[in-house]
Amino acid sequence: MTENDIRISFEFFPPKTDAGREKLKKVREQLANLQPEFFSVTYGAGGSTRDNTRSIVEEITREELAVAPHLSFGGDTEEMMRELIQQYQNIGVKRIVALRGDRPSGMGGGVSMVYANELVAFIREHFGEHFHLEVAAYPEIHPEAPSYDADIKYLQGKFDAGADSAITQYFYNPDAYFYFHEACDKIGIDKPIYPGIMPIINFQNLQRFSQKCGAEIPRWICKRLDGFGDDEASLKAFGLDLVTELCETLLENDAPGLHFYTMNQAEHCLKIIDNLGLISAD
Ligand code: FAD
């Protein structure tokens, strides 16, 4: 928590190479200075990064930093899941981001998947209240949801199953978050919903990513970013201003904190947080 009780957290993906791990260690050192509530580590679609995620989580716990592994059933059995969660409990993990996850590409649509509310219930059944459980929320609505209202109902189902708080998919239109928050409020969801923040680092990657996960980049932002072409410095400067303003608007309107999708880079998050004047890294 910051002095203003704003919760800050940072998300990493597990690197595939030793060089990537070394780099991430340095990124972590820089971000740890900001005293985030936790670092989270993603879990590849279908459990494809099972060992890699666990090994980064172990590394972070050895540094005595709070860490939240992301987790989904993927193709695992209940026994395998229990074992993995038990290992997390044994090394002192106190928080999990519980997800349905996505199918790995090539797996096809025929395989049945375990919804996140079922994973939340499973963890509560076997591990009681040990873990703080985060779940995913979608201010612009999950691409597979049958309707706006249904998606919010399913979010409520995750809280009813025992989730403590939610982290959102990233978005660039703060009204999507405010409207969503209000809609959640109306059906009685009273748990905190932390906005997910994606710094703008590379337009092509962001576009590809956004198409995949259903996050909207407003047209005017797309046009602006596209217009920068190879001028990386101008793109980053624009992105920094834009995301800082987004965070300001969110916090001024009572968002309870910010969860940064770091893309394993510290620079942009550090600058945004510095711009916001939330915490000094000294
Ligand atoms: P669910 O909440 O289970 O929802 C999935 C879909 O099914 C939605 O359309 C929902 O409306 C619908 N639904 C939900 N419950 C039910 C139900 N009981 N019956 C019928 N329909 C239902 N992906 C990864 O692979 N690895 C990660 O580490 C990862 N981390 C993420 C972190 C955050 C903060 C966010 C926002 C997303 C993350 N994702 C990750 C992406 C996520 O896995 C995908 O968006 C996935 O498609 C949905 O996961 P979920 O937990 O939201 O699923």
Side-chain angles (χ1 to χ4, degrees):
M1 290 278 186
T2 63
E3 285 163 18
N4 316 313
D5 276 358
I6 303 293
R7 189 185 93 172
I8 301 290
S9 51
F10 297 109
E11 181 172 315
F12 303 132
F13 58 84
K16 292 191 183 118
T17 61
D18 288 347
R21 283 177 84 115
E22 264 316 298
K23 192 184 143 223
L24 182 59
K25 195 172 160 52
K26 294 203 177 81
V27 167
R28 218 157 48 230
E29 274 166 19
Q30 286 176 285
L31 295 176
N33 287 332
L34 303 175
Q35 300 178 332
E37 186 85 355
F38 62 93
F39 293 112
S40 81
V41 185
T42 61
Y43 199 61
S48 52
T49 65
R50 197 175 203 276
D51 294 340
N52 228 357
T53 296
R54 190 185 46 205
S55 127
I56 292 290
V57 166
E58 283 167 356
E59 200 175 310
I60 300 177
T61 56
R62 281 198 296 274
E63 292 164 0
E64 299 189 357
L65 297 168
V67 59
H70 293 209
L71 193 62
S72 60
F73 254 89
D76 284 1
T77 61
E78 289 195 359
E79 193 44 45
M80 288 162 83
M81 281 301 267
R82 254 207 312 272
E83 222 172 86
L84 179 58
I85 301 166
Q86 186 63 58
Q87 286 169 1
Y88 283 144
Q89 182 171 10
N90 294 347
I91 60 169
V93 170
K94 297 215 173 74
R95 187 186 301 261
I96 286 176
V97 182
L99 302 152
R100 182 200 70 171
D102 283 321
R103 292 178 183 89
S105 51
M107 195 172 162
V111 183
S112 71
M113 299 188 73
V114 178
Y115 289 116
N117 66 303
E118 299 169 76
L119 175 56
V120 169
F122 178 83
I123 300 174
R124 285 287 177 244
E125 183 191 340
H126 295 284
F127 298 89
E129 295 300 313
H130 176 81
F131 294 102
H132 178 111
L133 296 180
E134 306 274 351
V135 289
Y138 302 85
E140 292 171 344
I141 300 306
H142 187 267
E144 293 163 36
S147 70
Y148 195 102
D149 288 341
D151 207 30
I152 290 187
K153 273 275 171 206
Y154 290 134
L155 175 61
Q156 189 173 40
K158 298 195 255 195
F159 286 124
D160 289 346
D164 298 292
S165 45
I167 300 171
T168 77
Q169 185 56 275
Y170 65 89
F171 54 88
Y172 294 104
N173 178 357
D175 285 339
Y177 172 82
F178 297 134
Y179 186 84
F180 179 78
H181 200 278
E182 222 177 281
C184 289
D185 207 37
K186 272 191 192 143
I187 63 162
I189 294 176
D190 58 359
K191 299 276 167 62
I193 300 174
Y194 294 91
I197 304 296
M198 178 70 91
I200 297 177
I201 303 170
N202 176 302
F203 181 44
Q204 276 74 33
N205 288 349
L206 182 68
Q207 238 181 348
R208 195 164 33 81
F209 218 60
S210 303
Q211 267 159 13
K212 222 172 113 197
C213 71
E216 189 199 33
I217 315 174
R219 182 181 154 81
W220 74 272
I221 298 178
C222 265
K223 287 282 172 199
R224 199 76 196 103
L225 294 174
D226 195 32
F228 290 125
D230 293 334
D231 183 357
E232 227 178 86
S234 298
L235 181 136
K236 284 183 179 172
F238 171 80
L240 190 61
D241 283 348
L242 186 93
V243 177
T244 300
E245 260 179 54
L246 171 67
C247 294
E248 263 165 8
T249 306
L250 291 167
L251 295 177
E252 277 165 17
N253 288 279
D254 299 330
L258 303 167
H259 176 82
F260 287 91
Y261 295 103
T262 68
M263 307 309 286
N264 291 7
Q265 300 187 36
E267 181 197 345
H268 301 268
C269 299
L270 288 169
K271 282 189 182 152
I272 294 165
I273 289 173
D274 187 42
N275 284 351
L276 292 170
L278 281 182
I279 329 176
S280 152
D282 303 331

